[in-house]
Amino acid sequence: MKNSGFLLLLLFIAITTFKSTAKEQKLVYQIDIKKEIDNTTRLYLRNGLEEAKSLEADAVLLHMNTYGGLLEAADSMRTAILYNPVPVYVFIDNNAASAGALISIACKKIFMRKGANIGAATVVNQTGAALPDKYQSYMRSMIRSTAEAHGKDTIIQGTDTTYRWKRDPLIAEAMVDERVIVPNLIDSGKVLTFTADEALEWGYCDGIAETPGEVITKYLGYNDYELKTYEPSWYDDLKGFLMNPMLQSLLIIIIIGGIYFEMQTPGLGFPSAAAIVAAILYFAPLYMDGLAQNWEILVFIIGLLLIAAEIFIIPGFGIAGISGIIFLVAGLTLSLLNNTDFNFEAVSSKEIGEAALTVLIGLGLGFVLMIWLSNKIGTKGMFRKVALHKDLEDAHSSPSLTPLIGKEGTAFTVLRPSGKVMIDNELYDGVSDSGFIEKGTKVKVVRFENAQVYVETSDL
């Protein structure tokens, strides 16, 4: 019995030792951030962190070289890093400027190559000019809170105990605002950018290395490790491209413009096709990313149906049309928010403002474009669906359409309120002065403006 007990003990020790030895090899998951910070790199990071978690990686290492990018994407990335269960480290290969600096400061430890730089996080527009102070104020607060999230070191000297920030928030602010002064480091009038040696001296670098491998062995202490790198797919790049705020605004312009021009012409043609394609490109990546939910897309569709009812069924423009516009704008805006069903507690006012701004920019530019295109497009047939037997450009270029005032004709197309009218066997651009006019209705010319005849039903 004693021998059997001894053998069992040896077997238990052997199994425990084997498990311990098998676990000694560390798994390091590397994510490359070597392009502009935007929704594409945000997807790289999010997908990489999820895969690292599923693989039970011991550490995540960002291999960074970027001049910055979109603040919204950087904010999302730094939040994901701060609250990621697997510790995230960064190796700055060359540059971590602007949004790259914010992301780097969120990491547990920062490592840099000789000659690398970190800083210059002032918020700028696309021309490189600094934005107004309200934008800088928000960036100062964000980068300061990111530095503060790493806490303080406790320093005991004799009977004295002091606490020192691991990453001084004031230094982080100096990377944003030229007015911030850090004694013995930088004076007012300069935005702070660190070299590798300077960052090491002031607590914004934890070690200098030449390769990610050197970071892993020398500073993380993993001599036996497996390195796995996130491999982006074409799908990541496509989805990130479609989620670019500027492209989203452009798609909104096409949606609104398509609806407007469809109102000017009968049937379904190029404008409606363009609007449908733009709507698909707008919602598809948001739906796949989990932002746009079924009910939010349904709100948008209801808006389109209400507008269609106003155009094709209800004469004039009233409750249905106004309600349709409200539903349409609501659907576009809500789809950009990271809410759960009808719960918006996790959505910040900043995110709501950014979503509303993206939609409003698209709507504003869309209406401006519609006004401009109304008088510029159509004479060569781009948006025409009626084959004219005479070149209308010649008619429009005539010095005056005054002789037509008082004449009667017929509505060649539906007027809602714009369309085509036939007068003396000639086609003209017509606008109804008496609401919705069905095709074939007798009309009378009452005036003309901008090469268009304004008509009303002849029985009025």
Side-chain angles (χ1 to χ4, degrees), residues 382-435:
M382 177 176 281
F383 290 109
R384 302 292 190 191
K385 294 190 286 294
V386 179
L388 303 183
H389 68 281
K390 185 180 184 297
D391 188 358
L392 294 178
E393 186 172 358
D394 292 336
H396 290 170
S397 62
S398 61
S400 174
L401 296 178
T402 303
L404 295 178
I405 296 176
K407 287 193 174 185
E408 294 187 347
T410 58
F412 188 77
T413 69
V414 176
L415 301 180
R416 49 176 189 269
S418 301
K420 293 288 177 289
V421 294
M422 177 76 76
I423 301 172
D424 293 340
N425 295 320
E426 297 288 343
L427 282 175
Y428 297 91
D429 286 329
V431 181
S432 171
D433 259 359
S434 54

Side-chain angles (χ1 to χ4, degrees), residues 1 22 37 62 83 140 189 278 298 303 320 331 365 393 406 411 420:
M1 290 293 293
I37 303 301
L62 305 185
Y83 299 104
R140 286 197 305 270
L298 181 61
L365 292 177
E393 186 172 358
K420 293 288 177 289

Side-chain angles (χ1 to χ4, degrees), residues 45 49 60 62 64 73-84 86-90 92 96 98-111 118 139 142-151 166-167 172 175 203-204 206:
L45 179 71
L49 292 180
V60 173
L62 305 185
M64 179 175 289
D75 184 19
S76 176
M77 293 169 73
R78 69 111 193 182
T79 303
I81 291 169
L82 284 174
Y83 299 104
N84 193 59
V86 181
V88 181
Y89 306 90
V90 62
I92 301 173
S98 192
L102 176 65
I103 295 168
S104 298
I105 293 172
C107 295
K108 186 177 180 65
K109 289 185 182 295
I110 300 172
F111 305 100
I118 180 174
M139 182 61 172
M142 187 188 304
I143 203 168
R144 182 176 65 246
S145 64
T146 304
E148 290 175 351
H150 295 284
K166 292 181 179 179
R167 291 186 187 146
M175 293 182 180
Y204 273 75
D206 297 278

Side-chain angles (χ1 to χ4, degrees), residues 1-242:
M1 290 293 293
K2 289 183 178 179
N3 289 335
S4 61
F6 180 71
L7 289 174
L8 288 173
L9 178 62
L10 287 178
L11 181 61
F12 175 76
I13 293 172
I15 293 173
T16 305
T17 304
F18 175 78
K19 287 183 176 180
S20 176
T21 303
K23 189 64 179 175
E24 280 182 5
Q25 188 180 58
K26 303 292 186 178
L27 174 60
V28 179
Y29 196 95
Q30 180 174 307
I31 304 172
D32 292 337
I33 308 293
K34 298 180 179 179
K35 56 190 298 184
E36 180 181 352
I37 303 301
D38 55 13
N39 279 308
T40 303
T41 47
R42 181 185 65 81
L43 289 172
Y44 290 175
L45 179 71
R46 190 195 68 178
N47 296 342
L49 292 180
E50 288 178 355
E51 186 172 351
K53 182 180 177 181
S54 67
L55 294 174
E56 297 183 350
D58 295 280
V60 173
L61 180 64
L62 305 185
H63 191 175
M64 179 175 289
N65 182 15
T66 181
Y67 288 104
L70 297 177
L71 179 58
E72 311 89 75
D75 184 19
S76 176
M77 293 169 73
R78 69 111 193 182
T79 303
I81 291 169
L82 284 174
Y83 299 104
N84 193 59
V86 181
V88 181
Y89 306 90
V90 62
F91 171 59
I92 301 173
D93 200 323
N94 195 22
N95 292 295
S98 192
L102 176 65
I103 295 168
S104 298
I105 293 172
C107 295
K108 186 177 180 65
K109 289 185 182 295
I110 300 172
F111 305 100
M112 301 175 69
R113 183 199 293 270
K114 276 283 189 183
N117 299 280
I118 180 174
T122 302
V123 185
V124 298
N125 59 23
Q126 293 184 345
T127 65
L131 290 176
D133 187 63
K134 66 177 181 179
Y135 297 96
Q136 311 304 336
S137 175
Y138 188 83
M139 182 61 172
R140 286 197 305 270
S141 173
M142 187 188 304
I143 203 168
R144 182 176 65 246
S145 64
T146 304
E148 290 175 351
H150 295 284
K152 297 181 178 181
D153 288 321
T154 302
I155 302 172
I156 301 176
Q157 294 179 330
T159 59
D160 296 330
T161 300
T162 58
Y163 301 94
R164 184 177 62 190
W165 289 107
K166 292 181 179 179
R167 291 186 187 146
D168 189 342
L170 187 64
I171 290 177
E173 283 193 69
M175 293 182 180
V176 177
D177 195 335
E178 61 186 13
R179 295 169 299 180
V180 176
I181 299 174
V182 181
N184 302 317
L185 176 60
I186 191 167
D187 296 325
S188 177
K190 299 178 181 178
V191 174
L192 179 61
T193 300
F194 275 138
T195 65
D197 288 332
E198 290 169 341
L200 186 64
E201 178 183 354
W202 288 91
Y204 273 75
C205 176
D206 297 278
I208 296 177
E210 290 301 310
T211 64
E214 186 179 349
V215 170
I216 295 169
T217 55
K218 182 177 179 180
Y219 294 106
L220 301 187
Y222 300 163
N223 293 316
D224 184 14
Y225 67 92
E226 176 189 357
L227 181 64
K228 181 174 178 59
T229 302
Y230 176 71
E231 299 293 342
S233 65
W234 66 268
Y235 173 72
D236 293 329
D237 293 328
L238 176 63
K239 188 162 70 168
F241 172 74
L242 291 175

